[in-house]
Amino acid sequence: MHIVVAGETSEQAAQLQIHLAARGRDWGVSWLQLGDGPTPHLDALAPDALVCFSGTGWNRCNLMMHELRERFPLAARVVLVPDPQGEEMMQALDVAHRVLPEPFDPVALIDAIDDIVELRSLLDDARLKQAIEQAGPLPAAPKQYLTLSRLLRNDCTQAADLVDVVTQDPALAARVLRLSNSAYYSGGREISDLRMAVVRLGQDALRRLVLASEVFSSGPGVDEVRERALRISRLADQLLPEAGTGVAATAGLLSQVGRLLPPLELHEPDGPTLLPHSVAGAYLLGLWGLPAPMIEAVAWHQQPARAGTLFWVAGAVHVAAALIDGSEVDTDYLRRVRKLHELPRWRALADADQALAQA
């Protein structure tokens, strides 16, 4: 494993090397200075992992992550951000496998790279691919959602542009109108104009509804799965600081996508075992090219401790899914990440969502 640390000084690379040696890891570490010159090219370094400190210049860090994804797609991408509440956090989630907060913690970084490699190995397992192929044709990538996401990244996009996307699917248009008039959004005034419905829902809610409508359009018990997914999405949206809410909500929605596939078996040496729907769902998201943090959150939301030592997207989806499904929350995990005291408040939020759903 060759790790490239990109930052202003070599101090972090030296710290990382010391901790690797203490763990008996024979990993190489190189330091790449991010100065005022041209953005360095990565070909000569051929990294297995790139660690970039966004505080040294986010634009440079962003360019390097994009280059790494194109030229070394199997390399792990980690970004450290000085402000977990800031805009850089959301941008980093689009290009990095894992986003960590500063100050630099070598142990957290080593654990993060281990987690990334483990997930990549899991989703690249030949037995998993064989089991997935048993399902027959897989659900197609959500084209309307991807189109909508591109539109929403453009500052010039108008509500009419969003309505054009929605009206391509009459069933989706009906769901937009129904949701905009539900207890969640109506405020007591009924509307029947699709443009007004789009404005009332807001961009994030609209994007998730489009995603749910496309992804959960067919499969066993699709209506029930869609409603469960939307409830998990709404609850996960409330469990993280503002910078992470949109990602948590989308990951919460997608956490149920594996339920669209029939039960699948992995042929293990000790006999066949049932493939978890979370792993099957993560595999689908990888095929669709969705961001790595969403894939990781879906894969590990039933085992959140495998997604790192911080309470972030996978943890939020785990809590939301457990509370909506009425299953056990991993309280040992919440204790380790110092969030157990929040559980009563989160249960109250889930109860409130249930009451709204029945209104």
Side-chain angles (χ1 to χ4, degrees):
M1 177 71 73
H2 177 211
I3 304 174
V4 174
V5 178
E8 285 185 327
T9 71
S10 61
E11 179 182 352
Q12 291 90 358
Q15 290 181 35
L16 179 58
Q17 192 73 74
I18 292 171
H19 280 79
L20 287 169
R23 287 194 172 195
R25 299 291 183 90
D26 188 21
W27 293 3
V29 179
S30 298
W31 171 57
L32 188 62
Q33 184 174 18
L34 288 183
D36 295 328
T39 303
H41 291 289
L42 299 171
D43 285 4
L45 294 169
D48 297 303
L50 174 64
V51 181
C52 192
F53 289 77
S54 69
T56 62
W58 168 243
N59 289 335
R60 289 174 176 277
C61 190
N62 192 25
L63 287 172
M64 291 179 67
M65 287 291 161
H66 278 286
E67 181 187 347
L68 188 71
R69 185 165 60 183
E70 292 296 322
R71 304 190 68 81
F72 300 94
L74 296 181
R77 304 184 299 274
V78 181
V79 173
L80 282 91
V81 297
D83 179 13
Q85 312 296 325
E87 182 63 26
E88 286 179 6
M89 171 65 86
M90 294 305 298
Q91 295 178 17
L93 285 168
D94 282 337
V95 294
H97 291 105
R98 185 68 69 84
V99 183
L100 300 176
E102 294 190 33
F104 176 59
D105 181 347
V107 175
L109 174 60
I110 295 169
D111 289 342
I113 294 175
D114 280 340
D115 293 338
I116 294 165
V117 172
E118 180 184 5
L119 179 60
R120 187 175 67 200
S121 299
L122 171 69
L123 298 182
D124 199 39
D125 191 313
R127 295 171 302 166
L128 173 60
K129 294 179 179 179
Q130 184 179 28
I132 294 288
E133 288 171 0
Q134 297 171 13
L138 298 177
K143 293 182 179 179
Q144 279 186 305
Y145 168 75
L146 296 173
T147 299
L148 192 67
S149 296
R150 285 194 295 270
L151 282 173
L152 292 175
R153 286 195 291 267
N154 186 342
D155 293 337
C156 297
T157 296
Q158 304 293 319
D161 301 317
L162 306 181
V163 171
D164 287 342
V165 174
V166 172
T167 53
Q168 293 175 24
D169 182 348
L172 171 61
R175 289 193 189 105
V176 168
L177 283 169
R178 187 179 67 186
L179 183 60
S180 68
N181 285 294
S182 71
Y184 292 104
Y185 298 99
S186 68
R189 186 168 65 90
E190 184 173 345
I191 59 174
S192 57
D193 177 78
L194 192 57
R195 184 182 181 280
M196 292 179 64
V198 165
V199 172
R200 174 180 283 182
L201 285 183
Q203 296 180 356
D204 289 339
L206 176 64
R207 182 160 39 190
R208 291 194 291 273
L209 182 59
V210 170
L211 182 59
S213 297
E214 281 194 276
V215 170
F216 301 107
S217 60
S218 62
V222 63
D223 291 335
E224 180 183 347
V225 174
R226 184 194 299 116
E227 291 309 309
R228 179 198 293 120
L230 284 168
R231 289 192 61 207
I232 292 171
S233 174
R234 286 193 296 266
L235 184 55
D237 193 43
Q238 302 175 68
L239 304 189
L240 289 181
E242 184 177 348
T245 54
V247 179
T250 305
L253 181 71
L254 293 170
S255 68
Q256 304 301 295
V257 72
R259 296 184 185 273
L260 299 178
L261 301 176
L264 301 171
E265 289 185 344
L266 280 176
H267 296 288
E268 303 281 8
D270 297 333
T273 60
L274 200 62
L275 179 67
H277 77 269
S278 55
V279 176
Y283 184 86
L284 281 179
L285 303 191
L287 292 179
W288 293 347
L290 268 66
M294 292 184 190
I295 297 173
E296 180 182 58
V298 171
W300 299 141
H301 77 272
Q302 294 177 313
Q303 302 169 287
R306 300 182 72 172
T309 56
L310 295 174
F311 185 78
W312 196 238
V313 180
V317 175
H318 164 73
V319 172
L323 293 179
I324 294 301
D325 288 342
S327 57
E328 290 293 325
V329 177
D330 188 341
T331 53
D332 288 338
Y333 161 74
L334 291 183
R335 188 176 292 107
R336 286 196 298 273
V337 297
R338 301 179 181 179
K339 290 292 182 180
L340 185 58
H341 65 283
E342 295 275 20
L343 188 54
R345 182 175 69 86
W346 293 340
R347 289 191 189 278
L349 290 173
D351 291 342
D353 183 273
Q354 174 70 20
L356 277 175
Q358 294 174 345

